[in-house]
Amino acid sequence: MQDFGSAFGLAFELIVGFDTDLLAIVGLSLRVTFAALLISCLIGLPIGAALAVSSFPGRGALVVTFNTMMGLPPVVVGLLAYMMLSNAGPLGVLKLLYTPGAMVIAQTILVTPIVVALSRQMIEDLNKEYAEQFRSLVVPFPTAMAALLWDARFALATVALAGFGRAIAEVGAVMIVGGNINHVTRVMTTAIALETSKGDLALALALGIILLIIAMAVNAAVQGINAKARRNAYA
Amino acid sequence: MHDAAALREVLPRAVPRRAISNVGHHTLSVRNLSFAIDGHKILKNISFDLPGDELTVLMGPNGAGKSVLLRLLHGLIAPSNGTILWNGEPIDRSIRKIQAMVFQKPVLLRRSVLSNLRFVMGLRGLAKSRSELQPILKRLHLEALADRPARLLSGGEQQRLALARALALKPKILFLDEPCANLDPASVQLIEDTIKQEKVQGTKIILVTHDILQARRLAEQLVFLHRGEVAEITPADIFFDAPTSKEARAYLDGRILI
Amino acid sequence: MLRKTAFSLAFIAAAALHWTIAPASAEERFIVVQSTTSTANSGLLDAILPKFKDKTGIDVRVVAVGTGQAIKNATNGDGDVLFVHAKSAEEKFVADGWGVKRRDVMYNDFVIVGPKGDPAGIKGMDEATEALKKIAEAGAPFASRGDDSGTHKKELSLWKAADVDVAHASGDWYRETGSGMGATLNTAAGMGAYALTDRATWISFKNKSELAILAEGDDRLFNQYGVILVNPEKHAAVKADEGNAFIDWLTGPEGQQAIADYKLEGQQLFFPNADKATN
C-alpha cells in the first residue's frame, strides 16, 4: 500500500507547515484530555487511596467493579453521557451537548475508574509497608491517605499516564457527545475517523502518527520529570 | 504453674504489683495473655508485671513469640485472650500515642530526613521548625543529613532516624524490636547510648534482641520467652550469672533451642 | 487544613472545566444542524457555511451522522435544524410534530459501484433493480450500510423493488457494515464488493481502489435532500430565529447558488431545487 509512505510524508508536512486547523485540533485534544485527567485524578486518587487503606463489607465488590470499569467501552460511555446531556435528558438544561465540556465529562467517566483501580493497587502495596508504622504512630485516616498519595506520587504519575493514554486515544465517546463539529469539538481521534470515512487513508494515518508523537512527547516529558524528581527523593 | 513461679521470683525487684500505691511510677501489667493465628498458638497464657523504670530486655530463641508480644504490648495487634494494662488502662489509641516503637526494619517515608520528623511532629501538633528539630537530629548524628532523602541513607542512618523519630514523640514507653540487627558498630554504639540516656530520663524501654552481648550491656531486667511462654523473668545480673530456667541456661550456653 | 485543601482542589477542578468549556460558550450566535455524512464529507457544508456566517454572523455547527441517527438526535432536541435525505422519514418527522415544515433543498443521485472486474456483469446498466437482481443471482458480495441511514433506506427500497430478500442473504453475499458511507466504501474496496453510494460521497472518496461506477442513471436513484426546523414547541431550546434564517438562506437564491457553485474535481455534486418544492 502506497498509503504508508505518503502518510509519513504528509505527517511531516502537516507538522512543519504549522497547519492552523491541525494545531487547533491538537490543542483541543490536549485540553479536553488534560481537563478530564485532572478531574479524574481529583476524584479517583482519594477514592483509590481510601479503598486501599480501608476495609468494610462490600469493599471487594467495589474493587472488582472499578477494575471492570477500566474496560468500559468508550462508545457505551458516550451513549450514556449523550442520554444524560441530551436536551431530552436529565442534564439537558446544562447545554453541554456538542461542546468540549461534554467531551471532558465523557472522558472523565472513562478515565476515573482507571485512576481508582490502579492507584488503589499501588497504594495498597505501599500501605503494606507503611500500615504497621502508621498504626504505631496513630496516624489518622485522612493523614494516612494523604501521606500514601504523596509518597506514591511517582508511581501515581504512571497511573495518570495510563489515564492520559486512554483519554487521548478514544474516539467512541467524544464522537457521540462532541459531534465532531469542525472548529468546535473536532479532536485528533474524531478527525482520524472522519478522514478514514472520506477514504483519505493517508491523511488519516498521518494524523494518527501525529497523535502518537504527541502521546510520546507527553509520556517522555512525564517520565523525564519523574525520573529526575525520583532521584532527588528516594531510590 | 511454671511461669507463675518465675513471676514470683522476679517481683522482689519490681515496684509493688499494684501501682496504685506508687503514683509516680508506671506499670505494664499482662494477664493471661494468649495469641493465636489460625489455631496456631503463638503466646500461651502469659502473665507478668513490668515496672515502669527499668530497661527490660525480651530474649528467646527464634519463634518464641518475642515480636508478637512486643506488638501486643504496643496494641498493634489484638490478643486472642487476656488483658494488657498500662497504669491500669487498656492499650488503645490514646495509650499508643504515649508509646513509640522502632522496628527491626525501619519504615521511613519517601521524603527527606527532616520531613520524616516533621510528619510525626505534625501528628501530635508539636513544634516542627527546622531549628526546633535540629537538636533531635543532632542527638543521633543526623544533622548533616537533614535534607537527604531518607530512603537513600545507610541502614545505620535509617535506623538512627527511626529512633530519632520515635524519641521526638517523647514516649513514656519505647519498644525496640531488634533495632541493631546488621548495623554498623558506630550506629549500634550510638543507638545503645541513646537508649540508656532515654532510660535515665524516665522512659520505660522494652527491647527485643538476639544479641546476648547487647542484652548484657543494656538490660536491667530479662524476660525470657520460650515456645510462647515466659520461661523466666529475672534481674539482669541474676539472669546472666545463674539463670533459673533450663531454657535460658541452654540459650546462654549457645545450645540450640527448639 | 483539610478543608482548605478540599476547597483548593474544587477550585482547580472548576478552573479546569471552565478552561475547556469557555471557548465554546464564549462564542457568538450559533445553531446546531443535524446532518448526514454525505453533505459534510463531500465538503459542501465547509464550502457554503462560511458564506452564511459572513452574512448573518451565525455559526453553523454540523453534526454529521447517518440520517437515522440525525433524526433521532433531532427528536431529542439536540439540534436546531435537520438537513438529511430520506424524504418519507422526514415527512414522518414533521407529521409526528417534531419538525415544523419540510423544504426541499437540493438533489443528486445514487450510483452503484463495484469492482472493475464486475463479477455480476452489471456494467453500463441503467435499471438499478435489474442490476441488483444480477448481483443477487451471481451471489457477488454487496456491502450495505445497514445503519438506517438515508442511503440504507434507499437501498432497501431498491431491493424490495427488485424482489430480492436480502435479509435471507445477510452474512452470505450481503454484508451489512452498520457504519457510515465512507466506512462502507472502505469495506467494499477491501473485499471487492458492490455498494450503493450517493454520487457526492463517491466523488470525494479517496480510497476508491479497484472500485468504479458500474450502474447509474435510473430515476429511482434520485436522491432528494430536505431541511426542517426542529419544532420549538417540542423543545424550547431550539433557536427558531437563527434556524429559520439558515433555512431561508439555504433555500433562497444565495444558498441555492452556493450549492450549485460547489464543485469537486470539476464536477457539480449537488443540484439545488428548492424552488421546485411543493410542500
Side-chain angles (χ1 to χ4, degrees):
Chain A
M1 266 188 125
Q2 79 282 26
D3 286 327
F4 281 112
S6 42
F8 280 100
L10 208 51
F12 183 73
E13 272 172 40
L14 285 170
I15 294 169
V16 223
F18 275 104
D19 186 285
T20 49
D21 273 2
L22 178 73
L23 283 181
I25 290 172
V26 168
L28 185 63
S29 280
L30 291 175
R31 245 171 44 204
V32 166
T33 294
F34 277 120
L37 187 59
L38 185 63
I39 298 169
S40 296
C41 286
L42 290 177
I43 300 170
L45 290 179
I47 295 178
L51 271 178
V53 300
S54 58
S55 58
F56 53 87
R59 178 185 176 277
L62 214 55
V63 167
V64 170
T65 305
F66 277 113
N67 285 349
T68 309
M69 278 168 63
M70 285 203 289
L72 269 181
V75 50
V76 172
V77 170
L79 190 59
L80 290 174
Y82 167 78
M83 286 161 72
M84 297 301 285
L85 296 173
S86 162
N87 242 317
L91 300 178
V93 285
L94 297 179
K95 298 247 168 295
L96 280 174
L97 193 66
Y98 303 136
T99 68
M103 299 156 83
V104 172
I105 290 171
Q107 291 199 340
T108 300
I109 299 171
L110 275 175
V111 173
T112 301
I114 292 184
V115 175
V116 171
L118 296 184
S119 65
R120 196 245 345 132
Q121 184 62 57
M122 290 182 167
I123 289 171
E124 210 172 288
D125 291 345
L126 187 63
N127 191 43
K128 274 186 196 130
E129 187 190 328
Y130 283 9
E132 194 168 48
Q133 180 71 61
F134 277 10
R135 189 165 160 76
S136 165
L137 291 170
V138 194
V139 181
F141 184 78
T143 314
M145 241 173 66
L148 285 163
L149 281 171
W150 178 250
D151 279 24
R153 59 197 180 276
F154 302 111
L156 293 177
T158 310
V159 173
L161 280 180
F164 171 82
R166 170 123 157 126
I168 195 92
E170 76 83 25
V171 61
V174 289
M175 182 67 101
I176 295 175
V177 298
N180 189 25
I181 298 170
N182 203 3
H183 303 307
V184 181
T185 56
R186 184 161 300 164
V187 290
M188 289 301 286
T189 51
T190 59
I192 291 168
L194 177 66
E195 293 310 329
T196 305
S197 76
K198 285 180 177 176
D200 200 340
L201 304 191
L203 180 54
L205 194 54
L207 291 172
I209 291 166
I210 293 168
L211 179 63
L212 211 62
I213 291 170
I214 292 165
M216 211 182 278
V218 170
N219 273 281
V222 171
Q223 191 83 7
I225 296 167
N226 209 347
K228 197 166 181 316
R230 195 187 281 249
R231 265 200 306 282
N232 292 336
Y234 75 98
Chain B
M1 243 177 90
H2 173 255
D3 46 1
L7 202 67
R8 269 193 300 279
E9 240 175 308
V10 179
L11 290 173
R13 263 190 71 138
V15 260
R17 247 186 259 184
R18 299 274 167 250
I20 308 148
S21 61
N22 194 342
V23 183
H25 280 200
H26 308 288
T27 316
L28 191 60
S29 305
V30 171
R31 290 289 173 275
N32 309 110
L33 185 68
S34 297
F35 185 78
I37 295 176
D38 302 330
H40 179 67
K41 286 183 181 165
I42 296 178
L43 291 177
K44 302 165 190 167
N45 204 30
I46 290 176
S47 296
F48 57 74
D49 285 335
L50 298 181
D53 60 347
E54 291 195 333
L55 199 160
T56 303
V57 170
L58 261 175
M59 291 191 88
N62 279 332
K66 305 183 297 289
S67 286
V68 169
L69 179 56
L70 209 60
R71 280 165 171 74
L72 284 165
L73 295 179
H74 189 25
L76 293 180
I77 48 179
S80 310
N81 252 317
T83 54
I84 303 163
L85 301 175
W86 170 249
N87 278 352
E89 304 273 342
I91 307 294
D92 58 8
R93 281 170 74 91
S94 59
I95 300 291
R96 203 151 67 238
K97 276 189 183 177
I98 58 166
Q99 304 179 335
M101 180 152 169
V102 173
F103 296 86
Q104 180 176 357
K105 191 171 174 300
V107 179
L108 301 173
L109 300 183
R110 288 157 165 78
R111 309 173 187 195
S112 73
V113 169
L114 196 64
S115 299
N116 265 278
L117 280 190
R118 280 190 172 137
F119 179 74
V120 296
M121 302 309 265
L123 293 175
R124 300 288 186 271
L126 301 171
K128 51 183 182 177
S129 75
R130 178 180 284 265
S131 58
E132 284 159 314
L133 294 178
Q134 204 63 25
I136 299 173
L137 291 176
K138 199 161 183 169
R139 193 170 168 199
L140 285 143
H141 299 186
L142 294 166
E143 68 274 18
L145 305 174
D147 297 310
R148 288 269 297 277
R151 315 261 302 185
L152 290 185
L153 302 180
S154 74
E157 288 162 347
Q158 290 201 16
Q159 195 57 289
R160 272 148 53 199
L161 175 56
L163 181 58
R165 182 175 62 184
L167 295 180
L169 299 173
K170 304 205 180 311
K172 298 271 195 296
I173 309 184
L174 177 61
F175 298 102
L176 301 134
D177 189 359
E178 301 192 39
C180 297
N182 306 317
L183 296 193
D184 58 292
S187 288
V188 172
Q189 169 95 52
L190 187 53
I191 288 171
E192 287 185 4
D193 289 350
T194 310
I195 293 173
K196 280 188 218 158
Q197 287 165 18
E198 202 57 28
K199 190 264 149 191
V200 169
Q201 284 165 25
T203 308
K204 170 69 188 171
I205 297 192
I206 302 178
L207 167 74
V208 168
T209 185
H210 264 120
D211 182 346
I212 295 172
L213 295 175
Q214 181 174 58
R216 276 179 186 273
R217 289 194 294 272
L218 296 176
E220 292 174 328
Q221 179 192 38
L222 245 298
V223 175
F224 191 81
L225 279 183
H226 182 241
R227 292 193 185 171
E229 294 181 86
V230 176
E232 77 173 90
I233 301 186
T234 342
D237 40 4
I238 297 176
F239 182 85
F240 289 112
D241 285 348
T244 48
S245 65
K246 65 178 192 312
E247 291 87 357
R249 269 198 302 277
Y251 185 76
L252 290 175
D253 289 349
R255 275 181 277 143
I256 294 166
L257 275 186
I258 336 167
Chain C
M1 186 202 134
L2 208 64
R3 248 174 72 188
K4 222 165 105 186
T5 315
F7 181 78
S8 49
L9 289 182
F11 178 78
I12 294 172
L17 208 65
H18 179 78
W19 174 59
T20 11
I21 298 170
S25 47
E27 221 160 297
E28 70 293 61
R29 293 201 295 166
F30 70 89
I31 55 171
V32 171
V33 174
Q34 290 284 349
S35 189
T36 76
T37 46
S38 54
T39 51
N41 292 6
S42 61
L44 171 76
L45 293 176
D46 284 345
I48 67 169
L49 293 179
K51 294 178 183 167
F52 173 67
K53 189 175 180 183
D54 282 348
K55 187 176 171 191
T56 61
I58 299 170
D59 191 37
V60 178
R61 298 182 178 175
V62 180
V63 178
V65 289
T67 294
Q69 197 190 337
I71 291 177
K72 178 72 188 153
N73 288 348
T75 308
N76 285 336
D78 298 322
D80 306 294
V81 172
L82 182 64
F83 182 19
V84 293
H85 64 138
K87 195 167 176 179
S88 59
E90 291 162 45
E91 282 166 346
K92 183 171 184 298
F93 179 78
V94 173
D96 290 348
W98 297 110
V100 174
K101 183 176 175 223
R102 180 188 176 282
R103 285 160 82 172
D104 280 336
V105 178
M106 62 191 187
Y107 70 91
N108 65 358
D109 63 343
F110 291 105
V111 295
I112 297 173
V113 299
K116 286 173 185 151
D118 192 17
I122 64 164
K123 194 177 170 79
M125 292 179 73
D126 57 6
E127 284 266 354
T129 47
E130 292 306 310
L132 290 182
K133 260 186 204 160
K134 289 192 79 169
I135 291 170
E137 279 161 20
F142 185 95
S144 164
R145 291 280 292 272
D147 65 346
D148 197 33
S149 60
T151 307
H152 185 223
K153 288 174 204 284
K154 170 66 81 177
E155 180 212 310
L156 288 179
S157 74
L158 290 171
W159 286 116
K160 203 172 171 205
D163 208 19
V164 175
D165 177 19
V166 285
H168 197 68
S170 178
D172 185 13
W173 57 267
Y174 188 69
R175 316 264 168 89
E176 289 147 300
T177 65
S179 25
M181 193 68 254
T184 303
L185 285 175
N186 280 327
T187 307
M191 61 170 65
Y194 293 91
L196 181 75
T197 171
D198 64 282
R199 194 182 291 272
T201 301
W202 173 253
I203 291 172
S204 56
F205 187 70
K206 299 220 170 101
N207 183 32
K208 293 190 176 79
S209 187
E210 282 301 299
L211 297 180
I213 293 178
L214 296 176
E216 58 186 324
D218 190 330
D219 280 349
R220 275 194 271 232
L221 293 175
F222 183 73
N223 181 25
Q224 177 67 46
Y225 287 80
V227 68
I228 305 168
L229 181 74
V230 178
N231 194 347
E233 286 170 21
K234 292 273 191 182
H235 295 288
V238 170
K239 296 168 184 160
D241 292 342
E242 288 88 347
N244 274 324
F246 175 64
I247 292 171
D248 289 343
W249 179 83
L250 194 64
T251 53
E254 288 172 57
Q256 295 282 294
Q257 189 59 48
I259 290 168
D261 287 347
Y262 181 65
K263 289 192 174 64
L264 198 66
E265 293 172 15
Q267 299 179 65
Q268 182 174 344
L269 299 192
F270 298 95
F271 300 86
N273 65 345
D275 42 357
K276 288 180 217 152
T278 47
N279 49 335

